[in-house]
Amino acid sequence: MKKLLLSLMVVSCLLPVSAQQVSILKNQRLLDDVTHGGYYPVLSPDGMKLLFTGADNKGLEMYDFDNNTVKVISEEERAGYAPKITNDGNVYYVVQNSNERRIYRTVKSYDIVSGTARVVMENQHGIASPIVSTTGRLVLKNEAKVAEAQLVGEADIAVFVDGSSVVIDRSGNRISYSPVESQAGYLWASLSPDNTKVLFFAAGKGVFIMNLDGKILSQLGNYEMPCWFGNDYVVAQNATDDGHQFTSSQIMLLKADGSFKQALTSPESMTMQPTAAIAANRIVYTTIDGNLYLMEIKITD
């Protein structure tokens, strides 16, 4: 059964009408002893650690590629919702609780070295999600007002979405951009590793890349959950549904300028939720059943 699934997942590694070649060097199951499944994987920027959660974002765990161990970070509700991990050993995550009428969220920080957690934002009603800047600064959406004019010069940068806007935070000063019309809003904003471009998804329109002045540089197609694979490539999910459930899902490699795309898995594989770290040449994704996979590729221009 595993051999059949793997054969469905690996597809042709060469596009015939392009000078570029994509070779799949490795595509193997990760953590097949995790019985509760692994969803919404998140690689650290250096690709050496992997966060994942169980079904319904229950709990948060971390796999260390160096020593092949899994550590439980939290067993709390919704702890696996959009966690962030930095190379300096910090994990930021959100936990959720509710009373009869309202849902409350708390942002916590977990120190990998000491194994201790602390609250960095007290229990509050409404949306709460941690964003990490280019220098490792923790950014919370509600901590500063949007700036009125573009800043000049270098600054510590973080990006996030707010409705149908991409917000660029430079050392706490914020400017909001809405370069693509989308009444349903934006998702999955992220900064390129060289800190010059922003990747985001506009509902009903697809994946876009803009510069730090809000100018659209490219449109990559109607894919979901995009993430950077270096400065020149993006990995994303290509899924279809019948209005109730997924009918197909695969992992795609897209060139950031929109000139090239390559399927890394087949539509029948039901593979989804990619995360990538070019520093370790790692792409991790999961299946609809919560089976985590590690892929390594080689791109030849």
Side-chain angles (χ1 to χ4, degrees):
M1 188 67 181
K2 287 184 180 179
K3 289 183 179 179
L4 176 60
L5 178 61
L6 193 59
S7 67
L8 286 172
M9 291 167 64
V10 181
V11 296
S12 172
C13 300
L14 175 63
L15 280 182
V17 194
S18 174
Q20 291 174 302
Q21 297 182 22
V22 179
S23 302
I24 297 176
L25 305 178
K26 179 186 291 186
N27 191 37
Q28 67 182 37
R29 177 83 182 271
L30 272 181
L31 304 176
D32 55 5
D33 57 343
V34 177
T35 57
H36 54 67
Y39 297 92
Y40 297 100
V42 175
L43 279 167
S44 59
D46 62 7
M48 301 311 296
K49 293 178 175 59
L50 176 73
L51 301 176
F52 63 95
T53 185
D56 302 319
N57 302 124
K58 173 69 174 179
L60 181 63
E61 296 178 63
M62 183 186 72
Y63 173 64
D64 191 319
F65 285 91
D66 272 336
N67 54 32
N68 193 33
T69 59
V70 175
K71 177 184 291 187
V72 175
I73 291 177
S74 173
E75 296 181 343
E76 297 165 288
E77 293 289 339
R78 300 287 290 176
Y81 174 72
K84 300 293 187 299
I85 182 169
T86 62
N87 286 338
D88 61 2
N90 285 310
V91 177
Y92 298 101
Y93 61 99
V94 176
V95 296
Q96 177 176 298
N97 60 77
S98 60
N99 58 24
E100 294 180 356
R101 296 183 179 181
R102 290 191 171 189
I103 294 175
Y104 293 89
R105 296 175 178 88
T106 298
V107 179
K108 291 187 175 182
S109 171
Y110 178 88
D111 185 279
I112 295 172
V113 176
S114 66
T116 58
R118 64 183 180 89
V119 173
V120 294
M121 190 191 75
E122 294 292 344
N123 216 17
Q124 74 165 26
H125 174 58
I127 299 297
S129 60
I131 301 102
V132 180
S133 75
T134 53
T135 63
R137 174 175 58 97
L138 175 65
V139 176
L140 301 172
K141 287 185 179 181
N142 62 345
E143 59 181 12
K145 295 181 179 179
V146 174
E148 296 182 355
Q150 179 68 54
L151 295 177
V152 178
E154 295 297 322
D156 181 35
I157 304 172
V159 301
F160 59 90
V161 297
D162 184 13
S164 295
S165 298
V166 173
V167 179
I168 297 180
D169 178 306
R170 297 173 185 252
S171 302
N173 295 286
R174 299 180 177 183
I175 300 174
S176 180
Y177 298 97
S178 299
V180 179
E181 186 176 344
S182 175
Q183 294 183 350
Y186 295 172
L187 291 169
W188 305 308
S190 61
L191 191 65
S192 61
D194 65 2
N195 305 328
T196 63
K197 302 183 290 291
V198 178
L199 173 70
F200 68 97
F201 171 85
K205 299 295 180 66
V207 176
F208 293 83
I209 293 176
M210 72 179 199
N211 65 17
L212 298 188
D213 296 320
K215 178 184 177 181
I216 294 296
L217 302 176
S218 59
Q219 180 177 4
L220 305 187
N222 196 18
Y223 304 104
E224 304 89 33
M225 303 193 74
C227 59
W228 290 101
F229 187 61
N231 298 306
D232 300 320
Y233 289 90
V234 170
V235 179
Q237 166 186 300
N238 181 28
T240 61
D241 63 78
D242 60 8
H244 301 282
Q245 59 186 6
F246 287 111
T247 54
S248 71
S249 189
Q250 66 185 137
I251 305 302
M252 301 290 298
L253 178 71
L254 314 168
K255 195 162 187 181
D257 63 5
S259 65
F260 173 88
K261 63 181 179 180
Q262 168 74 58
L264 298 178
T265 64
S266 69
E268 298 87 357
S269 65
M270 302 301 282
T271 49
M272 54 190 61
Q273 301 169 3
T275 180
I278 200 170
N281 189 24
R282 284 176 176 150
I283 298 169
V284 174
Y285 56 89
T286 192
T287 68
I288 197 168
D289 296 319
N291 298 323
L292 291 165
Y293 278 83
L294 168 67
M295 180 180 285
E296 295 178 3
I297 64 174
K298 178 181 179 181
I299 303 171
T300 305
D301 292 325

